[in-house]
Every structure is written in structure tokens, then in C-alpha cells.
Amino acid sequence: MHAARMTATTIVATTDLHRRFGEGAAAVDALAAVSVEIRRGEFTAIMGASGSGKSTLMHLMAGLDTPTAGSVTLDGVNLGDLDDRRLTELRRDKVGFVFQAFNLLPVLTAEENLVLPLTIAGRKADPEWLEALVRAVGLDDRRTHRPSELSGGQQQRVAVARALVTRPAVVFADEPTGNLDSNASAEVLALLRRAVDEFDQTVVMVTHDAAAAAYADRLLVLADGRVAHDGIALSAEHVIDVMKAVSAGDLNPATS
């Protein structure tokens, strides 16, 4: 297996990535020869129609799934070289996750949920960093509340802070605003944007929402398991135009 190509500014790289589900006549190629580099300190949005491979790509980059062929390198480590234990440790230490379902533990307070990755790892939160995160998500007066006492937007902001608490190499967000109204969505997206701009974080977000993608620096669009567009995310209107062009087959990869 060839190692994914890395540069000084690359935090995640995939090389000739393939993912096939099923066998024989029933086989489906979710990804076919995808090579991308995610740059450190950048907000990347991944879009595509249902079945385009966008979630599969994110799961492979995050070490949640194993490629059929090709390689993924995260923060200088080839994921294919890791056994299950070391892969689990890498995800714990190097990766933050935000999902559409908030995945908060109902018996824990907001703050206990926020620091849960550190608790599992047997580490204590840096007090200054914890306070900075609580302030950033605007939940200083909700830190002792349980998830049932928080709105959907507040729960997702706790989830974003939880993803950031370990200072991971990269945060992967899978449809993070899918369960939120427009106001709560804007708050969560602004928080992810702030994580990049103020906390030097790297964020990779899968979304179907053009307005959400417009918060990103970079727009990757997949079609039929391949990169159909790789360019700058300018505005929601621009994202919509790109998606229409990809759907019509009018774009080539690496266009901006």
C-alpha cells in the first residue's frame, strides 16, 4: 500500500482511495480513486448527492472505516499501519467528532459531556482551555444542566466543544446542523468557523446544505464516488451553482 502524500500544511491525505460494498454483481463502488489533501487550519465542506460517497470519504479519513484499496494518512500516520487498539487511540487523541445526532449522555451534565473524551482517556481538562470552550459555546450558565434541559442548538454546541476539548488534529462533522432550525444551525456553524479562525482547528464537514457549506474555506463535491469539484466556497449561491453544474456534468475536478 502506498502512503498518502503529505506536505507541511497537510493534516489528512488520501491516495487512490477505493471503497467497495458487497461482492459480485451486487457490489457497489462508493469511492473510486479519490486522492485529496486536507490542509491544516482550514474549514472544508464536502457535498454531493445521496450515494455520492461523501460520508464514506469522511468515515475513511476519520478511521471509522477501512478502504478496499488506497491509503489514508492522518497527522503523519498511515492508518493502514495501525492495529485496532492503536487506531482507537489515534481516534481518541487526534480526532474530534460531531454528528447529526448530538450523542450526549443523558445522565451527565453539559460540562461532564464536554470533557468526556478526556475522562475516558484518564486525563484532566486544562482549566483555561475548558473555560475558553465553555465561553465559546455560550453555555456558562448551562454547564450543570443535563441534555434534556438544553435546546437542540445548545446540545450540539456542547457536542462541538466536546470535539474540540482534546485539541485534536482534525474535527470531522457529519451533517452537524441536520437536526437544527436555521437559528441554531447558524450558531453551530459560526462556532465551527470560530474554531478554525481563533483556535487554529481543522474542520471537515459533510453537509447537504449550501448555506452551511458557505461557512467553509473550501468546497469538495463528490459525484459517483469521485471528486467532481474542488474549489473555494464563496457563498451559498455559489455553492448552489456548483452543485447544479456538477449534477449537469458541466464541471471538471479541481475547478474553483
Side-chain angles (χ1 to χ4, degrees), residues 133-215:
L133 281 177
V134 170
R135 288 196 302 271
V137 299
L139 293 175
D140 193 49
D141 60 344
R142 294 286 189 273
R143 59 203 305 161
T144 61
H145 288 55
R146 287 185 169 80
S148 61
E149 301 171 298
L150 302 174
S151 68
Q154 289 170 333
Q155 290 185 63
Q156 192 64 304
R157 277 155 36 209
V158 172
V160 172
R162 180 182 59 191
L164 295 170
V165 73
T166 60
R167 291 188 171 100
V170 58
V171 169
F172 292 101
D174 192 0
E175 300 281 6
T177 60
N179 285 340
L180 303 178
D181 61 32
S182 58
N183 289 334
S185 294
E187 291 176 352
V188 168
L189 291 163
L191 178 57
L192 290 171
R193 180 73 257 174
R194 185 177 176 189
V196 173
D197 294 339
E198 296 183 24
F199 302 149
D200 298 321
Q201 188 59 66
T202 304
V203 175
V204 178
M205 174 180 68
V206 166
T207 183
H208 68 277
D209 184 356
Y215 279 79

Side-chain angles (χ1 to χ4, degrees), residues 37-97:
E37 294 181 27
I38 303 299
R39 292 181 286 270
R40 192 182 303 271
E42 190 172 63
F43 191 164
T44 300
I46 303 176
M47 298 189 74
S50 179
S52 63
K54 59 185 184 296
S55 290
T56 300
L57 176 59
M58 192 196 78
H59 291 160
L60 290 169
M61 289 194 295
L64 295 173
D65 191 13
T66 303
T68 305
S71 62
V72 178
T73 302
L74 192 156
D75 201 19
V77 178
N78 189 329
L79 301 190
D81 293 338
L82 305 181
D83 59 22
D84 287 345
R85 180 184 62 81
R86 291 169 64 203
L87 185 58
T88 297
E89 291 173 351
L90 179 137
R91 286 195 300 260
R92 182 192 70 195
D93 297 336
K94 299 283 190 179
V95 179
F97 295 103

Side-chain angles (χ1 to χ4, degrees), residues 219-220 227-232 238 242 245-246 250-256:
L219 175 65
L220 278 173
V227 177
H229 172 84
D230 182 358
I232 300 170
H238 170 252
V242 168
V246 167
D250 294 338
L251 276 179
N252 294 317
T255 55
S256 57

Side-chain angles (χ1 to χ4, degrees), residues 110-132:
E111 183 170 325
E112 289 168 342
N113 270 288
L114 195 164
V115 301
L116 186 60
L118 294 174
T119 303
I120 292 172
R123 294 156 51 194
K124 290 192 177 295
D126 173 80
E128 290 185 10
W129 177 232
L130 176 59
E131 291 306 313

